[in-house]
Every structure is written in structure tokens, then in C-alpha cells.
Amino acid sequence: MITNMPDDGLLVAVDGPSGTGKSSTCRALAKQLDAKYLDTGAMYRVATLAVLRAQVDPLDSYAVIEATRDLPIEISDDPESSAVLLDGEDVSEPIRGQAVTTHVSSVSAIPEVRENLVQLQRELAFAAHRVIVEGRDIGTVVLGDAPTKIFLTASAEIRAQRRHDQNLAAGRESSFSAVLADVQRRDAADSARAASPLRPADDAVLVDTSELSLEEVQQQIIDIIQGLDLTDSGDPEDPNDFATQYREYTGADFDDAEFSEAVSAAQETSASSADGEPDWDALEEEFLSALGGTQVEEALCTVAIVGRPNVGKSSLTNRFLGRREAVVEDVPGVTRDRNSYLAEWANQRFWVQDTGGWDSNVKGLNAHIARQAEVAMDTADVIIFVVDTRVGATETDIMMARKLQRSKVPVLLVANKFDSPQQYADLSLFYSLGLGDPWPVSALHGNGSADVLDEMLRLFPETPRQTSITSGPRKVALVGKPNVGKSSLLNKFANEERSVVDNVAGTTVDPVDSMVQLDEQMWRFIDTAGLRKKVKNAQGHEYYASLRTRGVIDAAEVCVLLIDASEPISEQDQRVLAMILESGKSLVLALNKWDLMEEERRFLLERELEQQLRHIPWATRVNISAKTGRALNKLEPAMIAALESWDKRVTTGQLNNWIREAIAANPPPMKNNRLPKVLFATQAGTQPPTIVLFTTGFLDAGYRRYLERKFRERFGFHGTPVRIAVRVRERKTKRK
């Protein structure tokens, strides 16, 4: 029997975009390997169907969360069955319809929806014992510890053709060009979403199904499983074999000497290079390229959406994107920064810049917002000027139109909030702006937005003003409580007023990202909204801003936690820190506003750090001032060191030698009058480093903290959390 888990268990995580053959392959594979089958994608489709049947706008995150909170959903794990029940009704056919396909990415991108369904997916997978699980975040989120991870891929054209053929075979109307556009749109949406974006797990094996038959894909996966098989292929004469170490021991036949003599063959191999050794550097470079680990520059056009406050710029941005990214509320001044989003229409990628409301006669915070809008207009290839059909042309609109008449790039006049044909008479008022024919649009309902996009693409120049980096640099999230100096730090790094800064807490709403070249390398810094004490009680844009911040933390690689050194460490700081630790990201502590420190405050701060942050002694602390630029040069080395530890891997031989020494120095406490034995240790993953201990008994939290401390003393791992998981071997009763 093919197996990769103890007790003849099997756990295979299969990810990939739509149309790669995941469902067909996994169903057939489950039949062949006598395993159950779990289609997680069907769960998100059922959730989307429930949203549509409740007549809820898929872009309204709050309403979607409420509609999917307690879904009466049942998914069959029988590979022979495709039954999917919603409130007792088989909806296996409706969930494959065009309406669900169009909106499933928007619904699945909402963190709360994914959180609820991910928990259900884990419960079903762990209960199955032998199971093939397929989806889009199985290896990265749902089953991060799965021993076998597969990422299926294929070209967009081939995947679209497969989906087109499926639709025709099922009797559904289908157009290849429309299916191709939808496949490309879903790829962009799934890859760009903040919560669990579509990407291969670091330890996943990529399988390109473009030129492979179903049987060939199955055989490749079986070969991969067998290559990772650790339970059935053990050589009882080889003390270095995992199966030998993990084989069912009894208390009588376990000997400490067996453990102490364990030396990894991989460790021996690493000490000396044999003839015919593969070119590991070349292979690593190849895999990093396939995973998007290299920096990618593209010549993409940019469209700037401008207008006075509360005319619907952010709503129009979300409509262009096909997902809810920009925070929207029916209150003027919600958007404050210049926010860029990667969008696609008619197979052409471009940047959409959402801006705050523009006004010429403003001061303070509103003046900063207006300057950001002006920067967007000066750097765009096409400008979309949004006005309110219900209000008509205001004095501010007229002043902005005069400014845009002198623009060197095309300007599209969009009359938003056009909800009825009776409003055509109101459009005549906008001809006085001197910007040509107004385009009637309802961003709320989507009417007219496609026409604007088509015209925008027609006006794009052949050569964009500038190239932009679309992927590659490592992501740094600037997080902390409100008014701690996150935006000031980003502006200081970028040497420009990239984020709006004001003394009013909660100035930043949408995450603001910026590419910044520091001394060593290029970074993608993301400025986030400050997290308040009671996020659950937040309303309006503050609630959505907190969701975006959580999504940024999950998507980041290193988090720079800013703490106001001039004030006592608060509960808010602890809450933000807890979110970072829960996400498993590398961490740098930045004690900001050091220029405001007094001698007495420094003494108190040291005591607070010792008492309240004693559980993270591994985090690097940097005393900075975002206002004056003090010690900012120390942040990049701290981030690089944290990421190196986050990516670091220790060989199995080194781990087992270390665990032997640590246990010899301090054995674990007895449980039920028995001393737990550690049979084997291995590093199951990185980002964050995860150590799995296979034992004969449970190790309590205190002893795991001891092991973590000894582990860091031996191997370092400064700047990253280290997770130690324990898998207890179940004892089998002896036959009489």
C-alpha cells in the first residue's frame, strides 16, 4: 500500500489554478490509492452560491460574512460522488454555473470566509486518515505540514480550452474567448488577494499538466509520494532511516543507544561532494524563478482615478478590479493615500491608482490628501475624472476640470451614480467642464464600467511612462497601534510624501505599498492602518481597515512592529504582537520616537520590555526616530537577519544530535509514570521554522519552551518564531 503517514495513512495536498485538472486527477488518484477525496474549491463555490441566493452583493464584505457565517454545507468525500449539499439540496450543478464562477474569487478573498471554511477543511482532512485534498491554499494554509504537496499548473490557454470543453459537454453555453478572459481574471484575483493568495508552497513539487494525459499526471504524483514515503520503505538494518526510527516501538525494545547513534546520511553527504553531484545552485535558481522569487519588472500603463471627496472613486476602483480592495464608506474623506492596485481587462494588465478627494482650498490633512491626488495625475498615462451625477458640476469640479484641461495625457470624464435613464438630462450639465462627453456609470451596480475600461485601453499609449516592479521584492509590513509613526517611517525610507501623515490617529485607512531601494536590496514596504483596542466593535471604514491590516500581516514576510517608546507599552501593542506571532512571520521591533525620550522614561522602558516582552527575547530591537531619521540604517540589517532565520533549515542529523544532548541535560517530565521518549526529530518546514518531534508521550508546553531555548542557543534563529510540534506515537495493545 502506498503511504506517507504512520499506520498506513495518506495525506496529499494538491493546489493549482482552475483548469489544471485538479478535480479529475485527484478523484482518479483517490480511487487508485483507496483514499477519500476532498474538493475544497467546491466549498467556496457553495458559499458564493449562498451569497447570490441571498441577493447579497459579492463585493460587500460585511454582508458576505454574515451570509456565510453558518453555512449548512455537506461535502462528500467519496471520489465516486460529486454530491455537494447546501441546506440538504444537491447543488453540484449550480455551483459550476457562470454566475458562481464570476464571483467566487471575490467571496473567497474575504479573510473571515476563508477562516471559517479552512477550519472545516482541516477537520475533514484529519478525520479521513487516507485522503487527497485539492484546492488553492492547501499546501500553504490548510495543511501546511502535509508530507506530500503538489502544485499543478498549465498555460492559461490550455486551461481555458479544458473549461470550455467541460461547459459544452455539460450542455452549458460557452465562448472560448470569454472563458479565457475569466481564467486570466481569476488567476489575477487569486494571486493578488490578501488572504491566502494562490502560490505554491515552498516545499511543493510543481507538475505542468499542459502536455500530460490524466494517467501521466497520476503516475507523476504517485512517483512523488513514493519518493517521500517514510513508513513502508524502511530498511531495518539502516539506523539512519526514518521508518526505522519511527517504527512501532514498545517500552521494552526502545534503547537510548539507538537514538544516540543516529546520524543523518544527508549530513554526511553535505560534508563532502561526490562525483556527479547535481548543480544545486542552478536548480535553486530555477525553482526560485518558477516560484516568483525573482524581481519582475513590467512596462504597465497607469490610470489615475481622481475627483472631489465622496463621488465614488474607490467604488469605481473596486469595480475595475473585480474585487473589493479599496475601503468604501458613504462618508467623505475615507480614502486618504494614493493606493495602487494591479488590474486586468481584455488580457491587458495595468495599474489603477485610487486617490483621496481633491480640493484646492484645503489645509492640514486634506491638503496632504490633495497633493497625493496631484502626484497621481502627474504620473498617470490616463486620468479618469469622476463626478457625481446626482449633485452636478460643483465649483470644485470646475476648478479641477480647468487643471485637467492642461493635462498632457488623455482625460475621461465619468459621471458616477448614474442609476436611472431619467438622469440623462443631468449629464448635460457636465459639458460645461470642457472635457468632452461624460461617460454615465454606476460603480455600485456596475453599469457602464466596461465601456469606460474599453475606452481607457484605447487611450493607453504604446509605451507607458515608466516600468514598474510587479513582483519579487520581499514584503515588509509596518504595523502597530494608531499614530505610532508607520506612515512617517515609510515616507522617510521612500524620500517622498508617499503616505499622508497627520497627528490625528487613524489617518491611514488603506494599506499603502511602496518599492524602496535601501543600502542592500529592494523592498516592498506596506504601510497599514493602526489596529485599535476593540476591533470587533469597530464600524464603517475602521472595521474594513482592520481587515486589510490583518491580510497584510498574513501576506508579508517580515513585520516591523513599531512601538511608541515615549509612552508605556499598551495592550494594543500586545494585541498587534500576538497577531504577528500567530501568523508566524519574522519580526523586528522598532522603538520609535526615540527623539522624545527622557532619561527617566528610558529606565521605565527597559523594565516594561523585560516584563511585557520577555516571551520574545529573540526579536531584534532597534531604537529609531522616523521623524529625524535616527538609526534607520540599522533596520535593514535586522530585517535581512530575521528573514535569513525565517528561511533557514537545519539538517536532520544536526537536529537529532542536538535533541539527544538537550534531553540528556534535562529529561522531560514523566507522564502517567512513564518517561516520554523522543524517537526522531526533523524540520518539517520553514517560514516559520517548524520542528516536528516524534515521541512516545506528550511533551508539555514548559518543556517545549525549554527545547526552543536550547534550539536557539545551538542554531541561532534570531528574529523569527520557531514552532515545535509533537506527534505522539499511538501505542498498540499487545495480542494475547
Side-chain angles (χ1 to χ4, degrees):
M1 176 179 290
I2 296 177
T3 176
N4 61 5
M5 295 284 286
D7 300 326
D8 294 333
L10 179 70
L11 182 60
V12 181
V14 182
D15 291 314
S18 63
T20 54
K22 297 192 303 295
S23 298
S24 303
T25 300
C26 292
R27 286 184 182 276
L29 194 64
K31 295 178 189 176
Q32 184 175 348
L33 301 183
D34 190 24
K36 295 179 180 179
Y37 163 74
L38 181 59
D39 179 10
T40 63
M43 295 183 178
Y44 293 105
R45 288 181 171 272
V46 173
T48 305
L49 181 64
V51 168
L52 296 177
R53 288 184 172 182
Q55 297 183 339
V56 170
D57 184 358
L59 298 180
D60 188 345
S61 300
Y62 183 78
V64 170
I65 293 170
E66 291 299 317
T68 59
R69 189 176 301 278
D70 298 306
L71 280 177
I73 180 176
E74 296 180 40
I75 305 290
S76 173
D77 58 9
D78 184 359
E80 300 282 359
S81 173
S82 59
V84 183
L85 302 182
L86 175 61
D87 200 16
E89 175 192 354
D90 187 358
V91 293
S92 54
E93 183 62 28
I95 64 174
R96 304 295 174 184
Q98 185 59 42
V100 172
T101 301
T102 301
H103 297 291
V104 65
S105 292
S106 300
V107 173
S108 61
I110 299 173
E112 283 77 5
V113 176
R114 302 196 69 84
E115 183 178 340
N116 292 335
L117 292 182
V118 163
Q119 184 59 35
L120 176 60
Q121 293 161 12
R122 287 172 178 162
E123 293 174 358
L124 294 174
F126 292 146
H129 186 59
R130 292 182 61 84
V131 64
I132 312 291
V133 187
E134 62 110 332
R136 302 190 179 200
D137 60 352
I138 309 303
T140 55
V141 176
V142 181
L143 302 173
D145 292 336
T148 304
K149 301 177 184 178
I150 310 294
F151 191 91
L152 300 184
T153 184
S155 67
E157 290 75 13
I158 290 179
R159 292 187 287 122
Q161 186 62 54
R162 292 172 179 172
R163 180 61 56 85
H164 175 61
D165 295 340
Q166 286 179 351
N167 290 340
L168 294 178
R172 294 189 288 265
E173 295 184 3
S174 184
S175 166
F176 174 76
S177 58
V179 174
L180 177 60
D182 184 67
V183 166
Q184 293 171 332
R185 178 191 61 79
R186 286 193 64 188
D187 287 350
D190 291 345
S191 303
R193 68 187 180 215
S196 306
L198 175 63
R199 63 176 179 85
D202 293 334
D203 52 348
V205 181
L206 274 68
V207 177
D208 192 336
T209 67
S210 301
E211 306 297 332
L212 298 179
S213 66
L214 178 63
E215 291 76 16
E216 290 172 331
V217 177
Q218 287 179 240
Q219 189 56 51
Q220 280 205 20
I221 296 177
I222 290 174
D223 292 342
I224 295 169
I225 298 172
Q226 290 179 320
L228 297 177
D229 185 4
L230 303 174
T231 57
D232 281 355
S233 61
D235 181 0
E237 301 300 324
D238 183 6
N240 303 318
D241 187 77
F242 176 84
T244 305
Q245 299 290 345
Y246 192 74
R247 201 172 295 280
E248 291 296 334
Y249 286 92
T250 64
D253 61 16
F254 181 82
D255 187 359
D256 288 334
E258 295 181 10
F259 184 80
S260 63
E261 293 173 0
V263 179
S264 172
Q267 185 183 20
E268 295 177 354
T269 304
S270 63
S272 60
S273 179
D275 295 336
E277 183 80 5
D279 188 348
W280 296 111
D281 293 337
L283 288 173
E284 183 181 23
E285 183 178 353
E286 180 181 346
F287 274 96
L288 284 176
S289 176
L291 296 175
T294 57
Q295 183 172 304
V296 179
E297 289 193 13
E298 293 185 61
L300 301 180
C301 292
T302 301
V303 55
I305 302 179
V306 299
R308 60 182 177 83
N310 207 37
V311 294
K313 300 182 295 297
S314 296
S315 297
L316 188 63
T317 298
N318 289 336
R319 186 60 63 180
F320 285 178
L321 298 175
R323 60 188 186 275
R324 185 162 184 161
E325 288 284 354
V327 176
V328 176
E329 189 179 8
D330 193 16
V331 176
V334 172
T335 302
R336 298 163 183 177
D337 294 288
R338 170 169 47 96
N339 305 306
S340 299
Y341 306 99
L342 194 60
E344 183 176 356
W345 181 256
N347 299 329
Q348 184 169 346
R349 286 153 54 92
F350 56 92
W351 289 104
V352 179
Q353 283 199 341
D354 184 25
T355 65
W358 184 89
D359 200 333
S360 61
N361 298 317
V362 288
K363 297 180 180 179
L365 174 62
N366 293 325
H368 294 301
I369 297 172
R371 281 199 296 271
Q372 290 294 317
E374 292 174 357
V375 171
M377 289 185 280
D378 294 338
T379 57
D381 296 287
V382 172
I383 298 173
I384 293 181
F385 177 31
V386 185
V387 293
D388 191 335
T389 306
R390 301 173 185 173
V391 177
T394 66
E395 185 67 27
T396 301
D397 292 332
I398 295 173
M399 295 180 64
M400 194 168 191
R402 292 174 181 172
K403 182 179 180 66
L404 292 174
Q405 287 171 359
R406 300 188 295 269
S407 175
K408 298 180 181 180
V409 299
V411 179
L412 281 176
L413 178 61
V414 172
N416 192 29
K417 303 182 184 181
F418 185 88
D419 302 319
S420 169
Q422 299 175 354
Q423 293 177 289
Y424 273 110
D426 300 330
L427 294 180
S428 60
L429 301 174
F430 297 116
Y431 283 96
S432 62
L433 299 177
L435 296 174
D437 296 336
W439 292 78
V441 168
S442 174
L444 180 62
H445 302 101
N447 301 330
S449 59
D451 296 331
V452 174
L453 285 169
D454 290 337
E455 180 66 12
M456 178 192 70
L457 294 186
R458 190 184 69 80
L459 296 175
F460 275 158
E462 293 185 3
T463 304
R465 286 190 172 187
Q466 55 189 6
T467 60
S468 53
I469 300 174
T470 57
S471 64
R474 310 208 73 165
K475 298 178 181 178
V476 184
L478 304 177
V479 295
K481 65 182 183 181
N483 208 32
V484 76
K486 302 181 294 295
S487 299
S488 298
L489 180 60
L490 176 59
N491 290 343
K492 201 70 176 179
F493 275 140
N495 290 320
E496 63 171 317
E497 193 177 338
R498 183 63 185 87
S499 290
V500 174
V501 176
D502 197 86
N503 290 328
V504 178
T507 301
T508 303
V509 177
D510 294 278
V512 179
D513 66 328
S514 185
M515 299 293 181
V516 178
Q517 177 67 52
L518 299 182
D519 294 337
E520 299 290 334
Q521 62 189 69
M522 180 77 73
W523 301 85
R524 182 189 294 271
F525 281 92
I526 309 172
D527 181 21
T528 64
L531 291 171
R532 299 183 179 275
K533 281 186 180 180
K534 299 181 179 179
V535 175
K536 294 182 179 179
N537 298 333
Q539 297 180 350
H541 70 272
E542 287 188 352
Y543 172 76
Y544 290 112
S546 67
L547 293 184
R548 299 293 192 278
T549 300
R550 291 172 179 268
V552 169
I553 292 175
D554 290 336
E557 294 170 282
V558 57
C559 293
V560 176
L561 173 60
L562 280 85
I563 296 176
D564 190 342
S566 64
E567 298 179 355
I569 297 176
S570 64
E571 184 183 353
Q572 291 169 267
D573 296 318
Q574 295 279 12
R575 290 178 183 271
V576 179
L577 176 60
M579 289 175 57
I580 298 172
L581 297 179
E582 183 181 356
S583 66
K585 307 301 179 182
S586 55
L587 172 65
V588 175
L589 287 178
L591 303 178
N592 194 26
K593 304 186 182 182
W594 203 259
D595 54 313
L596 303 178
M597 292 287 287
E598 299 177 353
E599 191 64 33
E600 183 180 356
R601 175 60 195 151
R602 295 186 184 185
F603 173 75
L604 294 174
L605 178 62
E606 287 297 327
R607 293 188 59 184
E608 292 171 5
L609 292 172
E610 183 180 350
Q611 294 174 358
Q612 301 190 41
L613 302 183
R614 65 193 317 173
H615 59 295
I616 53 167
W618 44 264
T620 302
R621 288 160 42 189
V622 184
N623 305 328
I624 67 170
S625 172
K627 182 179 180 180
T628 65
R630 181 193 188 277
L632 294 189
N633 60 324
K634 296 181 179 179
L635 270 180
E636 186 181 28
M639 292 188 300
I640 292 175
L643 284 170
E644 287 176 351
S645 296
W646 199 55
D647 297 330
K648 186 176 179 181
R649 182 178 292 276
V650 180
T651 66
T652 303
Q654 291 175 315
L655 271 178
N656 284 280
N657 289 331
W658 157 77
I659 195 69
R660 170 177 54 83
E661 295 174 4
I663 293 175
N666 183 19
M670 297 185 68
K671 296 290 184 182
N672 298 324
N673 295 323
R674 294 184 61 86
L675 184 67
K677 305 285 188 181
V678 177
L679 308 178
F680 190 77
T682 184
Q683 184 171 348
T686 59
Q687 301 184 353
T690 302
I691 310 301
V692 179
L693 305 178
F694 296 89
T695 70
T696 61
F698 181 72
L699 303 179
D700 58 30
Y703 193 75
R704 292 200 301 272
R705 287 194 295 269
Y706 159 75
L707 291 178
E708 181 183 343
R709 178 170 60 82
K710 301 299 289 185
F711 178 79
R712 292 184 183 276
E713 290 177 0
R714 172 68 67 86
F715 302 110
F717 285 88
H718 203 72
T720 178
V722 173
R723 294 174 175 174
I724 297 181
V726 177
R727 294 186 179 179
V728 181
R729 169 182 57 80
E730 296 182 1
R731 299 185 64 83
K732 292 183 177 180
T733 57
K734 295 182 178 180
R735 295 181 179 179
K736 296 182 179 180

